[in-house]
Amino acid sequence: MQIELTDNNNVSANNRFQRDDIAALFPFGDKTISELCRDHEHLLVFPDSIEECDDEIGNGTLYSIQNTDNPDEVRVVTGNIMGFVGIGNIKLKIKSRFDLGKNDYFLHYMLQKVLALNMFDLDLNSGEEGLSELLMLMFPHLLKSAIQQGVFRQYQCYNHNDSNVHGSINVSQHLRNNVPFSGRFAYTTHEYSRDNDVTQLIRHTIEFMQSTHFGRCVLSSCRETTENIKIIKHYTTLYNKVERAAVINRNLRLKSHPYYTKYRSLQLLCIQILCMEEVKYGEDDNEIHGVLFDGAWLWEEYVATLLRDCRFIHAENRLRKKGIALFTDGSGLRYPDFYNDEMVLDAKYKRLEECKRVAEVDRNDIHQIITYMTALHVKRGGFVAPLTAKTEERVTAHLRDGISMIGIYGVQIATSASSYIEFVVQMQQHEKDFLASIES
């Protein structure tokens, strides 16, 4: 059974289902993302460091099950999370509520911008292949993060049969191979090697992706990715295509290393790419597989790519960098999403286009932006949200000082594109309109 929902669908009319049809979803309803990741290691969440995420994605839920006036029906209510999961025979797809098309172009486009992948002429699918494409899009980023910690090393056991003994004698093997004695000894060594189960898994993933058109496009999208691929291939000289199943089986228990922390997410991603059937159709009702994206985080990172060349500073709350102090002694650090000497902007993954006045925005959001403006001594502030339609006039309001102004800005999401390349062209124009609006 395939279920397609949008994020934040609490007011949707399309989230009602027969109770018996979605029984497999019940054990996972109302569980936090942190709980799901702790209990089900084959669930990949992006960003991968959910504990450090400013939006506290770990405390949110994937979905909740609510009763209706009909005892045989329930409502599946989603939060800010997008993605694909497989639970038993149910395939659950949660897309962005701002994407009105059929092919999830918006999610793919944001990922490409955030992950700095130069890809345009793609044949994106809305069905099961869409998950495979999303997983492949994430591979260069996670590979880069892992390689930055060094190539994964672990002790490997090697069998030798020569005269240069430097390990433990393997008596049974020696008697089998070296009688009568020919000057050689069978022995075993344990060596700290970069050619191991984890790097072999990465190599098999690279080879698999290079066998597909989409995968080749992803792996050749930037020079850094091609260099990282060369590094992995250099250290995996024992690669053998026919051993793929054995390599996957040896990696099903994910590695936890105190230093190579980024390899765990990469290892899980590789397993999911190589085992798409299990991801799409998980046979165990007690397990959940798939990949999830925090919509608020992804939207903020996408807006950051647009403002990168406009002298805006993007505060890094997760790393506690580029914050501003509210008090003269340097205390009270806060982290505006984007700011410069003239303006402060707050990225909001919300439907702000429905607001006729700035005062209709959530009061906490308004208080926050005013605090940032005061601390930074700037006269302009605003919110940046996705738009599903072009607004005739930007909504603005002046504060009581008569000088400071707050506005609602946005990037219109293309909805009429018939292909991905057409979607990209339309989005590029909408992005120019957005940049012009904040400069006016």
Side-chain angles (χ1 to χ4, degrees):
M1 178 180 181
Q2 183 164 336
I3 298 176
E4 182 172 316
L5 301 172
T6 60
D7 59 4
N8 289 274
N9 69 348
N10 56 314
V11 295
S12 172
N14 299 319
N15 60 0
R16 294 169 68 111
F17 303 92
Q18 290 295 312
R19 184 183 298 271
D20 293 339
D21 292 342
I22 61 167
L25 298 183
F26 278 72
F28 306 98
D30 294 313
K31 284 193 174 183
T32 66
I33 300 298
S34 293
E35 290 175 327
L36 291 175
C37 290
R38 183 192 64 215
D39 299 335
H40 308 275
E41 63 178 9
H42 289 96
L43 184 65
L44 181 61
V45 179
F46 212 74
D48 51 328
S49 299
I50 59 175
E51 297 84 1
E52 302 173 3
C53 187
D54 179 36
D55 296 300
E56 297 184 343
I57 177 179
N59 296 328
T61 59
L62 176 58
Y63 59 83
S64 62
I65 307 276
Q66 298 180 1
N67 292 323
T68 66
D69 50 0
N70 184 342
D72 296 325
E73 284 188 344
V74 292
R75 189 185 299 273
V76 181
V77 179
T78 58
N80 249 16
I81 307 300
M82 296 179 283
F84 299 77
V85 292
I87 305 173
N89 64 344
I90 295 180
K91 293 173 287 183
L92 175 61
K93 173 183 175 182
I94 304 176
K95 59 181 291 186
S96 172
R97 64 192 185 279
F98 297 101
D99 190 347
L100 303 182
K102 298 180 179 180
N103 294 302
D104 301 323
Y105 289 157
F106 183 42
L107 176 57
H108 283 82
Y109 183 71
M110 284 197 295
L111 280 175
Q112 282 191 229
K113 294 282 286 189
V114 170
L115 303 180
L117 298 176
N118 186 25
M119 301 166 60
F120 300 104
D121 189 12
L122 300 177
D123 182 19
L124 298 177
N125 301 283
S126 60
E128 295 164 354
E129 295 83 358
L131 173 55
S132 176
E133 293 159 353
L134 283 176
L135 294 174
M136 290 185 185
L137 282 176
M138 297 164 61
F139 181 80
H141 173 76
L142 294 186
L143 177 62
K144 173 184 174 181
S145 298
I147 292 293
Q148 286 175 342
Q149 294 184 328
V151 180
F152 191 93
R153 296 194 300 169
Q154 74 177 164
Y155 281 106
Q156 292 289 102
C157 181
Y158 295 100
N159 295 316
H160 305 270
N161 191 43
D162 55 45
S163 60
N164 185 26
V165 180
H166 56 282
S168 302
I169 298 295
N170 188 330
V171 177
S172 62
Q173 193 71 23
H174 177 71
L175 294 176
R176 186 179 304 114
N177 296 333
N178 300 318
V179 176
F181 183 64
S182 58
R184 294 179 298 181
F185 294 86
Y187 61 95
T188 302
T189 61
H190 288 81
E191 302 175 20
Y192 209 38
S193 173
R194 290 183 175 88
D195 195 351
N196 51 62
D197 292 343
V198 174
T199 54
Q200 282 289 333
L201 179 70
I202 299 170
R203 175 67 182 275
H204 278 278
T205 305
I206 291 171
E207 298 294 339
F208 171 76
M209 290 178 62
Q210 288 181 334
S211 69
T212 69
H213 170 70
F214 190 92
R216 286 193 298 271
C217 291
V218 172
L219 295 182
S220 61
S221 60
C222 71
R223 179 181 300 177
E224 189 171 18
T225 299
T226 57
E227 291 300 319
N228 290 335
I229 291 172
K230 289 180 182 178
I231 292 173
I232 294 297
K233 288 188 175 182
H234 173 74
Y235 287 110
T236 52
T237 55
L238 298 179
Y239 166 77
N240 187 340
K241 181 178 180 180
V242 300
E243 295 183 353
R244 179 173 297 172
V247 170
I248 293 173
N249 287 333
R250 292 197 297 268
N251 279 275
L252 291 180
R253 181 178 292 274
L254 300 181
K255 309 291 184 183
S256 294
H257 195 286
Y259 178 74
Y260 297 111
T261 55
K262 296 298 183 181
Y263 276 87
R264 183 180 176 87
S265 296
L266 178 60
Q267 186 185 12
L268 175 55
L269 180 70
C270 291
I271 292 173
Q272 292 201 357
I273 291 175
L274 295 175
C275 302
M276 279 303 301
E277 290 305 308
E278 285 78 5
V279 174
K280 290 184 293 191
Y281 298 106
E283 296 178 354
D284 188 349
D285 287 349
N286 297 319
E287 284 295 327
I288 180 171
H289 305 77
V291 56
L292 303 174
F293 304 91
D294 176 24
W297 172 85
L298 192 56
W299 173 251
E300 179 183 332
E301 294 301 315
Y302 163 69
V303 174
T305 66
L306 306 182
L307 298 176
R308 190 170 293 153
D309 298 326
C310 299
R311 307 184 314 279
F312 276 91
I313 296 172
H314 183 203
E316 301 177 66
N317 192 11
R318 290 189 294 162
L319 301 178
R320 294 296 186 264
K321 292 182 179 180
K322 304 177 184 177
I324 60 173
L326 298 182
F327 304 101
T328 56
D329 62 359
S331 62
L333 285 177
R334 297 294 185 271
Y335 299 87
D337 289 342
F338 309 98
Y339 64 93
N340 58 22
D341 294 336
E342 301 175 354
M343 192 176 193
V344 58
L345 292 170
D346 201 14
K348 292 299 179 187
Y349 187 66
K350 299 179 178 179
R351 286 192 180 278
L352 298 188
E353 63 186 334
E354 299 174 355
C355 298
K356 303 301 182 183
R357 299 185 302 166
V358 174
E360 296 176 15
V361 176
D362 183 88
R363 58 183 294 163
N364 292 325
D365 294 338
I366 294 178
H367 295 165
Q368 185 180 62
I369 201 73
I370 293 175
T371 300
Y372 294 156
M373 293 170 64
T374 302
L376 290 166
H377 302 290
V378 298
K379 302 303 180 183
R380 297 178 64 205
F383 307 100
V384 184
L387 305 177
T388 56
K390 184 176 182 179
T391 55
E392 297 299 328
E393 186 176 349
R394 186 170 70 252
V395 177
T396 60
H398 285 84
L399 297 179
R400 294 192 62 178
D401 62 4
I403 303 175
S404 304
M405 181 195 75
I406 298 176
I408 298 177
Y409 304 86
V411 181
Q412 183 181 349
I413 311 305
T415 58
S416 60
S418 58
S419 67
Y420 186 70
I421 185 63
E422 183 180 350
F423 181 88
V424 171
V425 171
Q426 293 181 13
M427 286 300 300
Q428 289 174 339
Q429 181 58 52
H430 296 328
E431 290 165 357
K432 290 179 181 179
D433 295 340
F434 159 69
L435 294 176
S437 69
I438 64 174
E439 294 174 356
S440 61

